[in-house]
């Protein structure tokens, strides 16, 4: 395995490192907000539905408060997503020039979903106390659909970069013909898209639940906080076992279609059967150091048999191997480890709920929920490191290297500094606004939303007040 210093990705004389670091930072920041944009509408509408179905003012109060927080995160996400979109053309102009006709298909569709979600988000928020309860609820359903559709569009574009199809190239290597359905429904979309959508629901669910778990640890044990933790936590915990199944399917597909990525993820130097699974450790030229070895497990996980042949890095040309295999390997292990821990958290809640119809009473449960939001975000970041670093040195697998796509313009590090400052300002502003909203809600108390938790006042609905 060649040292990192010998790879183009570490060449300080080029723009490649700067462009990759800028893109990684922008994506890492935006992906958290994008996850909230995908999943928060469903969490809000779940509380809205419970409030209507059970005439529950606490559930409706949560839905109304969460919708206001959702508006803040959506607005900040719109800015960070716009910056990310510009970076494709500014940092990778050769990629967009050659493959834009294919790559741009999914992003054009994503724009439609984005504006649809934005429009119905505005209608939903404006509809509080202006629409009847169920009319208002149904006005929010398009947000959920648009969020999932937007996630599909963006992630299927990434999956196309991993397993491209549906296009023809001319003599100069530029896309001249495209088949949109084949571009969108490429071989990798079937596992990448659900993997990301489920990750979004986990991030949003655990993150919202963690806020209320912290409040309960600080002594706020009222029903509002209990319900505020249970609704998003339940959604996230339902998504977790499905996510683990999808992730397992994804890993086997990567082993089949991107063997270099899989070999880097698992630190497989020598191909063959009876491959050992290494948990943790550092990948070196002489083997994996400091890991927990589990004999034959890697082959079994790939093909359900210890005799399954797995491709090793020795079978891949050095220039086609992914860089930083220790980072790739540890990121994969960390993602799987966090997912497993969250699955255990769900089993803990399910068992106690089955026994007592109540949450676990130990403070350790609340502590676990309190850190689950940050853990889910870390798992999301580790997953994207596996996806993006593992595909290197390709920007379009098998067709174009990342080093061939990068801009030759100067000043990328200055642009990175500017984006860093912009995002620091956006992040700080968003946190301050959300904290201010939370503080005001606590100070205003239970009656903060007025005489009715939803819809117009009783006299406007033609009802008789109780």
């Amino acid at each position: 395995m060649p040292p990192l210093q010998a790879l183009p990705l570490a060449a300080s004389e080029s723009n490649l490192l700067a462009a990759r670091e800028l893109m990684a930072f922008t994506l890492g920041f935006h992906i958290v907000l994008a996850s909230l944009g995908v999943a928060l509408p469903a969490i809000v509408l779940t509380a809205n539905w419970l409030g209507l179905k059970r005439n529950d003012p606490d559930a409706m109060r949560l839905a109304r408060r969460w919708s206001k927080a959702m508006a803040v995160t959506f607005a900040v996400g719109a800015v960070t997503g716009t910056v990310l979109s510009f970076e494709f053309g500014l940092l990778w102009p050769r990629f967009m020039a050659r493959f834009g006709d294919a790559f741009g298909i999914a992003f054009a569709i994503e724009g439609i979903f984005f504006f649809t979600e934005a429009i119905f988000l505005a209608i939903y928020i404006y509809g509080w106390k202006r629409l009847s309860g169920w009319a208002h609820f149904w006005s929010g359903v398009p947000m959920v659909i648009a969020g999932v559709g937007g996630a599909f569009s963006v992630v299927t574009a990434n999956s196309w970069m991993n397993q491209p199809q549906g296009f023809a190239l001319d003599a100069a290597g530029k896309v001249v013909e495209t088949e949109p359905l084949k571009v969108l429904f490429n071989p990798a979309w079937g596992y990448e898209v659900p993997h990301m959508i489920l990750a979004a629901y986990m991030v949003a669910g655990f993150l919202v639940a963690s806020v209320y778990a912290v409040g309960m640890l600080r002594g706020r044990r009222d029903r509002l906080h209990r319900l505020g933790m249970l609704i998003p936590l339940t959604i996230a915990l339902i998504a977790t076992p499905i996510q683990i199944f999808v992730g397992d399917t994804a890993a086997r597909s990567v082993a089949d279609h991107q063997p270099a990525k899989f070999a880097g993820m698992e630190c497989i130097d020598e191909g063959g059967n009876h491959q050992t699974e290494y948990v943790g450790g550092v990948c070196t030229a002489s083997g994996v150091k400091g890991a927990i070895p589990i004999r034959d497990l890697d082959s079994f996980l790939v093909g359900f048999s210890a005799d399954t042949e797995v491709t090793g890095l020795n079978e891949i040309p050095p220039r086609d191997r992914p860089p930083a295999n220790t980072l790739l390997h540890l990121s994969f292990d960390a993602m799987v480890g966090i997912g497993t821990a969250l699955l255990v958290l769900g089993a803990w809640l399910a068992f106690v709920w089955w026994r007592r119809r109540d949450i676990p009473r130990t403070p350790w449960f609340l502590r676990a929920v309190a850190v689950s939001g940050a853990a889910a975000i870390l798992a999301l970041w580790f997953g994207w490191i596996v996806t993006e670093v593992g595909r290197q040195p390709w920007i379009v697998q098998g067709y174009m290297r990342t080093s061939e796509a990068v801009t030759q313009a100067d000043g990328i590090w200055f642009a990175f500094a500017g984006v860093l400052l912009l995002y620091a300002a956006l992040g700080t502003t968003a946190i301050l606004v959300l904290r201010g909203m939370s503080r005001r809600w606590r100070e205003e108390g239970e009656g903060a939303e007025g005489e009715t938790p939803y819809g117009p006042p009783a006299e406007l609905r033609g009802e008789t007040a109780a």
Side-chain angles (χ1 to χ4, degrees), residues 49-411:
W49 180 84
L50 287 172
L52 288 167
K53 194 72 175 178
R54 300 179 180 178
N55 195 25
D56 188 333
D58 285 329
M60 198 58 65
R61 188 170 292 113
L62 288 168
R64 191 170 183 189
R65 291 177 177 182
W66 288 346
S67 69
K68 295 176 181 179
M70 180 172 61
V72 174
T73 58
F74 186 88
V76 178
V79 177
T80 59
T82 301
V83 173
L84 189 63
S85 299
F86 279 119
E87 286 178 356
F88 280 110
L90 296 174
L91 300 178
W92 316 105
R94 298 176 183 179
F95 162 63
M96 296 303 295
R98 285 182 59 182
F99 293 99
D101 288 351
F103 182 74
I105 292 172
F107 274 92
I109 297 172
E110 192 275 337
I112 297 172
F113 284 120
F114 171 79
F115 285 111
T116 300
E117 185 172 3
I119 290 167
F120 281 94
L121 172 62
I123 293 172
Y124 184 80
I125 292 176
Y126 185 76
W128 287 110
K129 290 188 172 296
R130 292 176 175 85
L131 297 173
S132 63
W134 285 110
H136 179 250
F137 171 84
W138 287 109
S139 75
V141 171
M143 294 189 301
V144 179
I145 299 171
V148 172
F152 162 81
S153 303
V154 172
V155 180
T156 202
N158 182 270
S159 65
W160 177 86
M161 296 166 74
N162 282 279
Q163 296 188 44
Q165 68 168 26
F167 61 94
L169 301 176
D170 62 14
K174 188 178 185 299
V175 172
V176 291
E177 296 178 17
T178 60
E179 298 179 69
L181 290 180
K182 286 189 175 181
V183 170
L184 293 172
F185 298 102
N186 55 78
W189 86 273
Y191 61 85
E192 276 203 31
V193 170
H195 200 48
M196 180 60 222
I197 291 173
L198 288 165
Y201 274 81
M202 290 175 66
V203 166
F206 284 120
L207 191 59
V208 175
S210 68
V211 172
Y212 287 86
V214 170
M216 293 180 73
L217 285 169
R218 292 177 176 175
R220 294 188 284 272
R221 300 298 182 97
D222 54 86
R223 185 175 182 274
L224 188 74
H225 278 77
R226 174 190 166 89
L227 196 61
M229 183 184 73
L230 275 176
I231 292 174
L233 183 61
T234 301
I235 292 172
L237 292 176
I238 290 172
T240 301
I242 306 173
Q243 177 72 306
I244 291 176
F245 171 78
V246 172
D248 179 65
T249 303
R252 282 197 298 276
S253 182
V254 168
D256 291 337
H257 300 289
Q258 292 180 286
K261 177 188 287 190
F262 189 81
M265 287 162 46
E266 299 288 15
C267 292
I268 303 172
D269 285 326
E270 299 290 333
N273 57 12
H274 294 276
Q275 290 289 340
T276 299
E277 174 78 18
Y278 294 102
V279 180
V282 177
C283 307
T284 69
S286 59
V288 186
K289 306 296 185 183
I292 301 172
I294 306 176
R295 182 174 173 78
D296 295 341
L297 182 59
D298 209 13
S299 289
F300 183 83
L301 291 175
V302 171
F304 302 108
S305 170
D307 293 324
T308 303
E309 297 277 344
V310 183
T311 302
L313 291 170
N314 65 310
E315 302 172 60
I316 299 165
R319 66 192 303 262
D320 293 339
R321 299 173 187 173
N325 285 319
T326 294
L327 172 64
L328 190 58
H329 171 65
L330 292 179
S331 295
F332 179 70
D333 281 2
M335 177 184 66
V336 173
I338 291 172
T340 303
L342 295 175
L343 182 67
V344 172
L345 177 63
W348 187 1
L349 174 62
F351 177 76
V352 174
W353 191 268
W354 172 67
R355 292 284 302 274
R356 297 201 303 258
R357 304 297 294 176
D358 196 4
I359 64 172
R361 296 173 184 173
T362 171
W364 284 106
F365 176 77
L366 293 178
R367 293 187 184 108
V369 176
V371 301
S372 67
I377 292 174
L378 286 174
L380 178 70
W381 285 339
F382 287 132
W384 274 102
I385 289 172
V386 172
T387 299
E388 299 303 293
V389 175
R391 189 179 66 245
Q392 302 307 311
W394 302 101
I395 192 168
V396 180
Q397 183 76 37
Y399 287 90
M400 188 179 199
R401 294 177 183 274
T402 311
S403 57
E404 299 169 345
V406 71
T407 181
Q408 298 303 304
D410 296 328

